[in-house]
Amino acid sequence: MRIIEGTVDEIVEYQRRNGTAVDPVDDPTEADPEQEPEAAVTTSALSLDDEDSFPLLQFVYTRASDGATTRRVLTYLRRALEQETLVEIGSSDRSYDGYTNYLMVRDDAPRRFGAVAYVKPSNGGLTLRLRPEDVADITDERVKLRQGASTRKYAVTCRLVDDEAVELALMLTGRALAKVRPV
């Protein structure tokens, strides 16, 4: 057990930076689907030479807990963008910088649905717009169903714990995109 000393604000900030804070109000999958978080920043490319991607890169670097997680999150985002998606940072009135603690991966098409994946750079966690039946054929231990999965649109999680998990997350993202794209 680790004992942390500090003011309430300092402890909350420490937990947020380490990905251990749980703020059910900022859980995007719990929000009313009619009130999807408004995007503060959107990009369709992740390049150090691209002015539009700088805020997103800065967001990942300032919220990630370590270098390996940062690398895996950025690898996932770059490869997800190759699947004709957009990456957005949501806005929040509750955070110090006006952003949420996650990124939204959306289909790069007219908006009919919310994000297909929410990515938390702090711990490399993904929450995907998939139901239990969408992953019934997957036995990988990195793919988990959320508590109450049978009643959720975003029922599947996958942590980017290694490079194989990134590949798995990209495959799951492809499945989620197939669900929201017109046939």
Side-chain angles (χ1 to χ4, degrees):
M1 180 166 81
R2 183 180 215 172
I3 298 175
I4 304 170
E5 292 184 44
T7 67
V8 173
D9 290 337
E10 290 169 333
I11 293 170
V12 168
E13 178 64 17
Y14 172 81
Q15 289 177 326
R16 186 195 61 76
R17 287 180 181 247
N18 288 313
T20 57
V22 177
D23 186 357
V25 177
D26 274 347
D27 184 352
T29 63
E30 299 295 323
D32 179 6
E34 299 299 319
Q35 298 196 351
E36 184 78 16
E38 186 176 316
V41 176
T42 302
T43 188
S44 59
L46 273 181
S47 166
L48 293 175
D49 297 329
D50 183 12
E51 286 290 320
D52 293 338
S53 63
F54 177 76
L56 194 128
L57 293 168
Q58 182 180 33
F59 180 88
V60 172
Y61 282 118
T62 58
R63 282 172 168 73
S65 56
D66 59 68
T69 301
T70 302
R71 181 185 56 78
R72 287 189 296 268
V73 167
L74 289 174
T75 298
Y76 167 79
L77 293 173
R78 283 187 180 102
R79 304 246 335 260
L81 286 167
E82 294 170 3
Q83 295 184 36
E84 297 180 29
T85 62
L86 294 174
V87 177
E88 298 178 347
I89 303 171
S91 61
S92 171
D93 295 335
R94 291 183 215 73
S95 66
Y96 68 95
D97 61 359
Y99 296 141
T100 57
N101 62 348
Y102 54 85
L103 298 164
M104 297 175 281
V105 178
R106 298 180 181 271
D107 185 20
D108 188 8
R111 297 253 170 91
R112 290 186 313 251
F113 298 98
V116 294
Y118 291 93
V119 185
K120 287 192 171 186
S122 60
N123 62 7
L126 266 70
T127 304
L128 297 125
R129 187 184 182 99
L130 292 171
R131 309 262 309 123
E133 57 271 15
D134 298 324
V135 295
D137 61 322
I138 298 175
T139 58
D140 194 301
E141 63 190 31
R142 292 171 285 213
V143 176
K144 301 203 183 306
L145 297 179
R146 295 179 66 198
Q147 187 174 18
S150 62
T151 61
R152 296 176 184 256
K153 285 190 291 188
Y154 295 87
V156 176
T157 64
C158 179
R159 298 251 338 252
L160 303 175
V161 295
D162 54 37
D163 291 339
E164 291 170 356
V166 173
E167 295 300 322
L168 181 61
L170 289 163
M171 185 267 298
L172 293 171
T173 302
R175 287 186 183 192
L177 285 166
K179 288 183 70 165
V180 301
R181 288 181 171 158
V183 180

